[in-house]
Amino acid sequence: MAEIIQRDGTWIFDGDALRLTPGRDKNVSLLRRTLGELTVPLGALAGVSLEQGRKAGRLRLRLRDGADPLLQATGGKLAEPDDPYQLAVEADRFGVAEYFVDEVRGALLLDQVPSGPADGYLLPGPAVPLSASAGDGTAGFDGERVRLEWNWKTEDAKSASGARTLALGDITAVEWRPAAGLENGCLRFTVRGADTKAPPKYDPNSVELWGFKKDPLMALVAAAVQARLPHPAAAVQGRTAEEPAWETAPEPGPEADHDALLRRLRELGELHKEGVLTDEEFTLAKQAVLKHL
């Protein structure tokens, strides 16, 4: 077992998983304190490193793409103090940190953990129910429904229809974006059949964020929802990154036999059931396959 204790937090590695506990120091971010302790399975890791400075250093975990719904939902836009996979290390503890890195790297090699993308979430995401208030509203999630409520700062055009309740099955995507410079951020939900290009200020399925202290907490709501949506890897099953689903049916020939086409129909049905394909995409894709039966 390897362990490092700092004011910023405590990291413990038992050979199978890392337990990351935020510190109680006043400089530990609100997001990390709210998120609480994380257990990261070894299989979710792509690497670990120690960056040494003159007075302090930083331990960093690099997770496999697609392993963590929090990183998926935030798209690498979390500020450094809010990143739960970083730990500030005092200079006199560099030796302990190096030992920690060696232990984790050795386990990754011994277990032959792949560094490539994960095909499913390996962390559960933030616990529910949870709620966060920031910007022009409050967002809550109980595992099945998102509840959006507005405050006195909300634009009349958005608040006129009152609070919003979004069923998880109707949500196709979630985006969290922090405020940057003069541009406000947002927590935005894409709802099936209600796509919009309206700015978050006017979008009834978005909370507008202005760059204040509690804004990052909205990332936890985004991550909890993201953890319950179809994994991004499912979206590329049977299609290329540039190619829509209905263009990926097998071409006529020796390979496009009856069994292969039936398997393809089952795959399309599963993608449609999971919400990856819209009704229109599923119908077009199915028709393309049936032409070859």
Side-chain angles (χ1 to χ4, degrees):
M1 187 178 77
E3 179 183 64
I4 180 167
I5 303 174
Q6 294 288 271
R7 287 180 297 179
D8 195 34
T10 298
W11 285 12
I12 298 174
F13 176 56
D14 64 6
D16 296 317
L18 294 94
R19 193 164 76 246
L20 316 180
T21 306
R24 298 182 179 179
D25 187 80
K26 64 180 181 179
N27 293 322
V28 176
S29 77
L30 178 61
L31 182 145
R32 289 179 57 207
R33 294 199 305 268
T34 304
L35 183 59
E37 184 176 285
L38 287 176
T39 298
V40 183
L42 185 65
L45 286 184
V48 58
S49 62
L50 171 64
E51 300 171 359
Q52 297 187 23
R54 179 177 297 179
K55 296 182 179 180
R58 190 168 293 274
L59 273 172
R60 295 181 187 267
L61 296 180
R62 183 166 58 88
L63 271 63
R64 297 169 59 192
D65 290 344
D68 178 30
L70 175 61
L71 297 183
Q72 187 70 38
T74 56
K77 296 173 184 175
L78 280 176
E80 193 168 83
D82 294 325
D83 188 342
Y85 304 115
Q86 299 187 30
L87 181 71
V89 179
E90 298 165 11
D92 62 356
R93 305 298 288 172
F94 283 171
V96 176
E98 289 174 343
Y99 173 75
F100 189 93
V101 168
D102 289 343
E103 287 292 295
V104 175
R105 285 177 176 171
L108 289 171
L109 288 173
L110 186 63
D111 286 15
Q112 297 184 336
V113 175
S115 60
D119 57 8
Y121 291 124
L122 302 177
L123 283 89
V128 295
L130 79 165
S131 178
S133 297
D136 68 352
T138 297
F141 180 54
D142 63 5
E144 296 181 358
R145 291 170 295 276
V146 170
R147 176 79 171 173
L148 301 178
E149 299 178 347
W150 313 117
N151 57 39
W152 64 272
K153 295 169 283 188
T154 310
E155 280 290 320
D156 291 343
K158 185 162 78 172
S159 63
S161 59
R164 302 274 292 170
T165 299
L166 309 176
L168 181 64
D170 293 332
I171 298 172
T172 60
V174 57
E175 172 196 11
W176 174 83
R177 176 166 44 84
L182 298 176
E183 184 179 355
N184 291 337
C186 70
L187 170 66
R188 185 194 294 270
F189 298 95
T190 301
V191 178
R192 196 186 320 277
D195 292 349
T196 178
K197 294 182 180 180
K201 183 176 184 177
Y202 303 106
D203 181 4
N205 297 322
S206 298
V207 177
E208 187 179 34
L209 305 175
W210 300 320
F212 298 140
K213 182 179 180 180
K214 292 186 177 181
D215 282 11
L217 296 183
M218 288 291 184
L220 300 183
V221 179
V225 174
Q226 184 72 59
R228 290 160 176 81
L229 295 178
H231 190 272
V236 296
Q237 287 181 357
R239 68 170 85 177
T240 65
E242 301 80 20
E243 194 173 42
W246 58 83
E247 293 180 358
T248 61
E251 292 296 327
E255 298 82 14
D257 58 23
H258 188 267
D259 290 340
L261 293 169
L262 290 178
R263 285 196 300 271
R264 180 61 180 147
L265 283 174
R266 285 195 294 269
E267 291 172 359
L268 291 171
E270 291 171 359
L271 291 174
H272 180 241
K273 184 178 179 181
E274 292 171 357
V276 176
L277 297 179
T278 65
D279 291 343
E280 182 182 4
E281 288 176 333
F282 174 67
T283 300
L284 291 171
K286 183 174 67 173
Q287 289 175 350
V289 175
L290 291 175
K291 287 180 181 179
H292 300 297
L293 275 174

